[in-house]
Amino acid sequence: MEHLSRPMKIKKMYIRQATPEDNEELQALQARCLYGTDLVVSTVNTPDFFARAKAYESYRVFVACEDDQIIGSGACALRGALVSGEMVPVGYVFQVFTSPDRRRRGVARELIRHIEEHLTREGAVLSYALIFEDNLPPMRLVEGHGYRLHRSLVMPMLLVYQPMDLPPRGQVRPAASEDLDDAARLLNETWQGFELYEPASADGLAGFIRRTPAYDLDDLLVLEHRGEIVACLGVWDWSRITRITVKALTAKLRVMGWLLNLARLFRPMSRLPGPGETLSQWCLTPIGFREVEDLAVLLRYVNNQALSSGAGQVFCVCEKDHPLLEGTKGFFRTDVLVHLYVKALQRGVLLGDGAVFVDGIDL
């Protein structure tokens, strides 16, 4: 397979900031970089490679070049967040990939080093990265750069395959601009004090909605009960910014898919995608609620929307014991571990031992 090919010797490499003119070359290279173990996929940012990064107010995309040919890329975002009770600038490193024929030649190491230098110049006190379970190469890569595993979070994946009844707990509707203050208060009640959380505001939510591709005010749902907004839930349709194509499944997953197909003859059941299929996934962000029962109403509403739109999976990320997981009762759910790696960029700056918040856009 291409991603296991022997690496070629690199002549001379340099790092620069990516430009819109790099779009097609980056997409072509990204399509060649396969990911996963049990389920092998290719992931391509589309229709614009930079759409993935535009959800952040401050971001940079860098490319590694050899003879003016792009052989790797890496991105980062800079934002404010709570670290040990104080608001400080932090950096997030994401979407680092290398041409299959240039792997194990130091390309990713140079990209991360360049990203860290940029984040340090911009005042970030620490940097973090998210790595899915069993993805050993990036774990070894970031550990070699001084990152340490801080916490393993969970990404609950809700599989969409049948309609769900909505409990009679108010009215679900798209948010209006005048709802953003109430939504921000709910978000802060849900996540205030969590490490890496950035307190929400109406202006901050409005800015996020404006800059995030494939996301608008109608994608932020609210549950209104007796004139009060008691829960809010944003839906980001990933298929509009990222094309994820299944390339291969292990024998174990193929057998599982066969069993699910057999079970569907007798009752509604989810299905596994096959090679060549493109995944349609929705990311949930932001999430705010007071009562789990209120969140459950919004989750069931989103399930029904996803079913009618052809989306197969809905996901978010949280601590393993966060109350929002209780709202997923009744769903066919599979959990994926997400490892949070952290590196201090300034001496003595460390995350506290409290619960950690990770925004869905980081996935």
Side-chain angles (χ1 to χ4, degrees), residues 17 23 99 152 216 226 231 242 257 261 274 332 334:
Q17 187 172 328
N23 183 66
S99 174
S152 291
D216 58 37
R226 296 178 180 176
T242 303
N261 290 338
F332 192 104
T334 181

Side-chain angles (χ1 to χ4, degrees), residues 88-109:
V88 294
V90 301
Y92 172 51
V93 180
F94 63 99
Q95 204 160 64
V96 178
F97 59 91
T98 302
S99 174
D101 56 11
R102 298 299 195 278
R103 288 177 179 170
R104 303 187 301 278
R105 309 301 296 177
V107 178
R109 288 197 301 272

Side-chain angles (χ1 to χ4, degrees), residues 152-345:
S152 291
L153 306 172
V154 63
M155 183 179 77
M157 183 79 74
L158 310 181
L159 304 184
V160 177
Y161 65 94
Q162 65 179 350
M164 305 184 77
D165 294 331
L166 298 185
R169 290 181 67 89
Q171 176 194 6
V172 179
R173 60 173 175 82
S177 56
E178 56 267 26
D179 297 322
L180 294 183
D181 271 322
D182 290 334
R185 279 193 289 270
L186 274 174
L187 295 172
N188 289 334
E189 289 177 24
T190 306
W191 305 104
Q192 192 72 50
F194 277 54
E195 295 288 294
L196 294 181
Y197 178 65
E198 181 176 8
S201 67
D203 287 344
L205 284 175
F208 169 75
I209 292 168
R210 281 195 305 270
R211 68 176 175 264
T212 302
Y215 198 110
D216 58 37
L217 193 57
D218 287 342
D219 295 314
L220 179 60
L221 301 173
V222 297
L223 176 64
E224 187 174 8
H225 182 59
R226 296 178 180 176
E228 181 185 9
I229 294 175
V230 294
C232 63
L233 184 64
V235 178
W236 194 20
D237 184 352
W238 258 34
S239 65
R240 295 174 60 190
I241 63 148
T242 303
R243 185 175 66 251
I244 304 174
T245 305
V246 177
K247 295 297 184 180
L249 290 81
T250 60
K252 179 179 72 174
L253 284 187
R254 290 197 297 271
V255 170
M256 185 183 300
W258 181 83
L259 292 174
L260 288 173
N261 290 338
L262 182 63
R264 269 203 312 281
L265 296 174
F266 305 98
R267 56 169 293 184
M269 186 64 65
S270 62
R271 62 178 296 274
L272 291 179
E277 291 189 48
T278 299
L279 302 183
S280 179
Q281 299 180 322
W282 288 5
C283 174
L284 300 178
T285 183
I287 304 171
F289 61 97
R290 294 193 183 98
E291 302 292 336
V292 170
E293 293 79 7
D294 296 326
L295 174 64
V297 174
L298 289 178
L299 288 174
R300 286 167 173 258
Y301 183 90
V302 167
N303 173 87
N304 295 346
Q305 281 192 318
L307 186 66
S308 64
S309 299
Q313 301 89 31
V314 176
F315 64 91
C316 59
V317 62
C318 64
E319 291 275 5
K320 297 177 183 179
D321 58 354
H322 195 276
L324 79 81
L325 294 177
E326 297 178 28
T328 66
K329 290 180 179 178
F331 285 82
F332 192 104
R333 186 183 105 198
T334 181
D335 291 345
V336 177
L337 287 182
V338 179
H339 303 304
L340 171 65
Y341 279 83
V342 178
K343 177 180 179 179
L345 299 180

Side-chain angles (χ1 to χ4, degrees), residues 34-61:
L34 306 185
Y35 299 91
T37 51
D38 288 340
L39 183 69
V40 180
V41 301
S42 71
T43 303
V44 180
N45 298 350
T46 183
D48 174 16
F49 178 85
F50 300 91
R52 167 70 181 84
K54 289 177 180 177
Y56 300 98
E57 186 172 6
S58 177
Y59 70 89
R60 288 288 187 278
V61 177

